[in-house]
Amino acid sequence: MTSPRNARAGRRAAAPALAAAALSIGMLMTGGALTPASAATWPSASGSQAVTATINLTGSKDYGMLRLYGSGALGTGDQAEDQQPILTLANGVTLKNVIIGAPGADGIHCLGSCTLQNVWWEDVGEDAATFKGGSGATYNVVGGGAKKASDKVFQHNGGGTVNISNFAVQEFKTLYRSCGDCSTQYTRKVNLSAVDVTGTGSTARLVGINVNRNDVATLRGITIRSDSSRKVVPCQKYNNNTAVGAGPDSTNCLYSASDITYR
């Protein structure tokens, strides 16, 4: 990815797998507020498959909780730039019920709008997923979780909107980063709802957005665990790659204290 590290900061049926493995969903209450996210139950794999060359999906795919992991040319889980992904998704593809194991290479690339439903990353490589569609693209991350991300989980290089809901993250530096120095830049949006976060004891960011590009982040129903020192920054602001502050406002970082629950 192009953002510098110091600034980016037996096959199961789909319904039972989702019920057993996904987060307890932060349901809408009568008043319209989200309940706090519940802790994730990390799933067991139905089997494992080595991937030696990127799998290019042009249609939606349900993997039934199979674990995919990199091997050969994809057999690295470090932070080297320009690694290849385990999977690429064409515009409009939905990917369901899969575990990305280790090595994770560069995870998943969405080339246009996509849905990642009940996708779990056991040990994030360069990034868990990169969103590369145009200005009208919508990327939905529904359920699932990621851990062991020494840098970013989700990298937003294209345009459009990323929606992350009912998701768990732990052992990470940045959950979402809007690219600071891509050759083509956009105004981007990210919406987090019912996200369960485990602090690491060191500074981490839920979202990093470019306020000079008029990015907008909306956070609702966030639960942060094991963070008594408040080292998890809900919304970090950048001018491209220069940090320029953090915290809620009425323009770019849309949330309030009631949207964050500490446990």
Side-chain angles (χ1 to χ4, degrees), residues 83-237:
Q83 294 182 60
Q84 295 303 302
I86 301 289
L87 293 152
T88 65
L89 278 55
N91 184 52
V93 165
T94 294
L95 174 66
K96 293 183 180 181
N97 303 323
V98 66
I99 298 170
I100 305 299
D106 200 29
I108 297 166
H109 287 189
C110 287
L111 306 183
S113 296
C114 68
T115 296
L116 306 179
Q117 183 174 338
N118 201 39
V119 178
W120 300 81
W121 291 264
E122 294 178 323
D123 190 341
V124 174
E126 184 182 352
D127 298 315
T130 302
F131 305 114
K132 305 175 76 172
S135 58
T138 300
Y139 321 91
N140 297 313
V141 180
V142 184
K147 56 185 175 180
K148 299 182 181 178
S150 59
D151 194 3
K152 295 170 282 69
V153 177
F154 298 121
Q155 174 75 22
H156 194 176
N157 287 353
T161 300
V162 174
N163 301 307
I164 303 168
S165 62
N166 307 311
F167 192 80
V169 62
Q170 60 190 68
E171 299 175 68
F172 72 107
K173 288 298 184 184
T174 300
L175 175 58
Y176 164 94
R177 179 65 166 107
S178 174
C179 182
D181 61 358
C182 287
S183 57
T184 300
Q185 282 289 44
Y186 299 87
T187 294
R188 305 181 178 99
K189 294 183 179 180
V190 59
N191 301 307
L192 270 59
S193 62
V195 173
D196 190 85
V197 181
T198 300
T200 63
S202 60
T203 300
R205 293 156 290 275
L206 294 187
V207 300
I209 60 172
N210 303 316
V211 294
N212 60 311
R213 303 283 179 181
N214 299 314
D215 289 352
V216 178
T218 302
L219 282 62
R220 299 286 185 266
I222 308 299
T223 298
I224 302 179
R225 304 175 188 276
S226 304
D227 188 33
S228 59
S229 298
R230 303 296 191 263
K231 289 183 177 294
V232 175
V233 178
C235 189
Q236 177 68 56
K237 304 170 190 178

Side-chain angles (χ1 to χ4, degrees), residues 234-246:
C235 189
Q236 177 68 56
K237 304 170 190 178
Y238 295 93
N239 285 342
N240 293 337
N241 287 328
T242 302
V244 292

